[in-house]
């Protein structure tokens, strides 16, 4: 759906843009673009659902249904957002991101690629639930080969809550997606005035609006009232650009969570279920009990691709420290948490990359 009511004439837009520039400060790349009299950036908003589109049931305490409000209606409710960019909005799905799946991911890629190939857009904003936002961001970064800013945004409070954070987050995401300075930085996540890179960002708190952090790298930048502040110059993000199969699903990769008193059962069950890959959410430096490690080694011998990650939440998993990866045929996830390691391993297996040393090389891409 295109938001024709938000569109205005070019000259009216320029005047409105100048007014917006004065409101948000001329230091902002968005306002600099407007002040120079150039056309506004074209930004495509793709709605997928999540709390940002959530509606509270007034009779049910803090309960709410996620994904009820369309992306178009979210935008229409934010004063001044139409001064930042020429906005069009489409709905890809209306789901809580706990239900995010390969089909929605494939649909997103198809639509984004078409918009970029047809030169329809200078930036893309994806509204998304926060629970699996980091997985979608990292998936897109691995399969999209573009400099166009792709920005994921969500909220921790539903749109009808007192102190809803969605409108400010969406406004900020629009500023980032429409700014030339955001080009070439890979897929970004914007919430709570902060810009994160897809490889490093994680949800770290169940309820706080300050939930997204990048523990091993720090944020990429900040959005404040006066400017976008990127902390580093844009460097080309060198991810392996992996091909998508013609249709979902991606190959099955299971995550196995390590814990005290663990035996081989979970690993053996995953192999029986037909997992093509297993990611270990290991203790500490990606370790597990002797029983589980032995079962993983047996799985690797049968051709299941094994990647060791950690349940800890930050830090690197290094090769051959406590576990003999070379001997057992494992790869390690380095800085990727288990959920992102799963995404990359699905894509690698789909691309026929299963040899442990080739898998390891792909995980090492920054
Ligand atoms: N579980 C829901 C989701 O991820 C709500 C969480 C959120 O969006 O913040 O879509």
């Amino acid at each position: 759906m295109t938001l024709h009511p938000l569109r205005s004439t070019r000259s009216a837009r320029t005047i409105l843009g100048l007014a917006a520039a004065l409101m948000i400060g001329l230091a902002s790349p968005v306002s600099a673009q407007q002040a120079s009299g150039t056309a506004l950036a074209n930004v495509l908003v793709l709605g997928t659902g999540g709390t940002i589109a959530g509606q509270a049931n007034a009779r049910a305490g803090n309960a709410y249904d996620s994904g009820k409000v369309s992306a178009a209606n979210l935008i229409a409710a934010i004063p001044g957002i139409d001064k930042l960019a020429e906005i069009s909005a489409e709905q890809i799905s209306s789901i809580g991101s706990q239900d995010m799946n390969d089909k929605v991911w494939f649909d997103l890629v198809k639509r984004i690629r078409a918009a970029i190939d047809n030169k329809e857009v200078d930036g893309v904003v994806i509204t998304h639930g926060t629970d699996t936002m980091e997985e979608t961001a990292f998936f897109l970064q691995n399969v999209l080969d573009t400099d166009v800013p792709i920005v994921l945004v969500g909220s921790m409070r539903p749109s009808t809550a007192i102190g809803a954070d969605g409108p400010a987050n969406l406004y900020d995401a629009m500023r980032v997606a429409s700014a030339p300075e955001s080009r070439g930085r890979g897929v970004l996540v914007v919430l709570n005035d902060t810009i994160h890179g897809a490889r490093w960002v994680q949800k770290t708190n169940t309820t706080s609006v300050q939930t997204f952090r990048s523990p091993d790298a720090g944020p990429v930048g900040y959005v404040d009232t006066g400017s976008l502040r990127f902390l580093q110059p844009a460097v080309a993000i060198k991810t392996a650009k992996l091909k998508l199969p013609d249709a979902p699903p991606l190959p099955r990769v299971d995550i196995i969570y390590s814990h005290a008193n663990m035996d081989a059962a979970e690993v053996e069950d995953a192999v029986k279920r037909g997992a093509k890959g297993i990611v270990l959410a290991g203790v500490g430096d990606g370790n597990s009990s002797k029983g589980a490690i032995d079962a993983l080694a047996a799985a690797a011998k049968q051709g299941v691709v094994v990647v060791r990650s950690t349940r800890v939440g930050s830090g690197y998993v290094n090769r051959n420290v406590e576990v003999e990866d070379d001997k057992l045929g494992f790869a390690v996830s380095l800085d990727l948490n288990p959920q992102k390691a799963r995404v990359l391993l699905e894509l690698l297996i789909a691309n026929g990359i299963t040899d442990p040393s080739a898998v390891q090389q792909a995980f090492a891409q920054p």
Side-chain angles (χ1 to χ4, degrees):
M1 168 197 175
T2 299
L3 287 184
H4 295 296
L6 293 181
R7 291 184 185 271
S8 50
T9 65
R10 177 63 47 90
S11 58
R13 280 204 312 271
T14 305
I15 293 163
L16 289 167
L18 282 167
L22 291 171
M23 279 190 327
I24 63 174
L26 287 170
S28 158
V30 171
S31 50
Q33 189 182 10
Q34 293 166 335
S36 69
T38 55
L40 293 176
N42 290 299
V43 175
L44 172 63
V45 180
L46 298 175
T48 68
T51 296
I52 191 167
Q55 249 172 4
N57 174 346
R59 302 175 67 87
N62 59 1
Y64 63 92
D65 296 325
S66 67
K68 289 285 172 202
V69 184
S70 70
N73 285 339
L74 287 176
I75 291 160
I78 301 174
I81 198 166
D82 56 321
K83 320 279 193 312
L84 299 177
E86 286 280 10
I87 302 167
S88 56
E90 295 170 21
Q91 208 64 32
I92 298 289
S93 65
S94 296
I95 56 173
S97 73
Q98 64 277 12
D99 289 321
M100 190 47 63
N101 56 71
D102 289 355
K103 181 184 179 314
V104 177
W105 281 357
F106 277 60
D107 289 348
L108 278 171
V109 169
K110 199 167 152 202
R111 183 63 190 102
I112 294 167
R113 281 192 181 141
I116 291 170
D117 290 350
N118 299 337
K119 305 211 178 323
E120 284 172 48
V121 291
D122 302 297
V124 176
V125 170
I126 301 169
T127 60
H128 197 291
T130 58
D131 289 351
T132 60
M133 183 180 287
E134 67 206 60
E135 287 159 71
T136 300
F138 188 61
F139 166 78
L140 293 174
Q141 177 151 300
N142 277 285
V143 296
L144 292 173
D145 197 2
T146 180
D147 275 357
V148 169
I150 313 287
V151 181
L152 278 85
V153 65
S155 74
M156 293 301 288
R157 298 174 183 152
S159 62
T160 46
I162 294 169
D165 52 333
N169 289 343
L170 189 44
Y171 189 90
D172 287 349
M174 192 61 66
R175 290 176 61 196
V176 174
S178 58
E181 288 82 347
S182 306
R183 293 184 74 92
R185 294 180 182 276
V187 176
L188 302 171
V189 165
V190 173
L191 269 95
N192 200 39
D193 305 338
T194 312
I195 311 167
H196 295 273
R199 179 160 185 129
W200 304 291
V201 67
Q202 306 193 30
K203 187 172 186 178
T204 64
N205 186 287
T206 53
T207 53
S208 166
V209 293
Q210 201 181 337
T211 186
F212 281 98
R213 295 178 192 269
S214 298
D216 290 320
V220 172
Y222 296 98
V223 189
D224 66 33
T225 39
S227 63
L228 301 184
R229 297 180 197 286
F230 284 106
L231 302 177
Q232 304 276 347
V235 282
I237 297 282
K238 286 184 247 125
T239 51
K241 292 303 170 201
L242 294 162
K243 290 206 173 69
L244 275 188
D246 290 341
L250 291 167
R252 183 179 185 112
V253 174
D254 286 354
I255 297 175
I256 296 199
Y257 198 94
S258 190
H259 52 83
N261 200 29
M262 186 165 180
D263 61 21
E266 283 110 313
V267 176
E268 288 167 357
D269 287 350
V271 175
K272 273 188 218 136
R273 278 196 297 270
K276 303 283 179 267
I278 295 176
V279 171
L280 177 70
V283 293
D285 184 24
N287 210 342
S288 198
S289 65
K290 180 163 179 347
I293 293 289
D294 286 350
L296 287 168
K301 268 216 175 93
Q302 288 175 43
V304 177
V305 189
V306 176
V307 175
R308 293 191 302 113
S309 182
T310 176
R311 67 180 199 176
V312 169
S314 66
Y316 279 63
V317 174
N318 297 293
R319 287 188 69 79
N320 299 317
V321 179
E322 292 184 71
V323 177
E324 295 180 281
D325 297 295
D326 288 349
K327 188 173 138 203
L328 303 176
F330 300 160
V332 296
S333 70
L334 302 170
D335 56 325
L336 290 179
N337 64 23
Q339 53 272 33
K340 288 188 198 168
R342 190 192 76 89
V343 170
L344 180 53
L345 188 51
E346 285 183 315
L347 288 168
L348 291 172
I349 295 170
N351 280 262
I353 300 169
T354 56
D355 175 69
S357 61
V359 170
Q360 190 62 74
Q361 221 178 342
F363 270 79
Q365 303 285 338

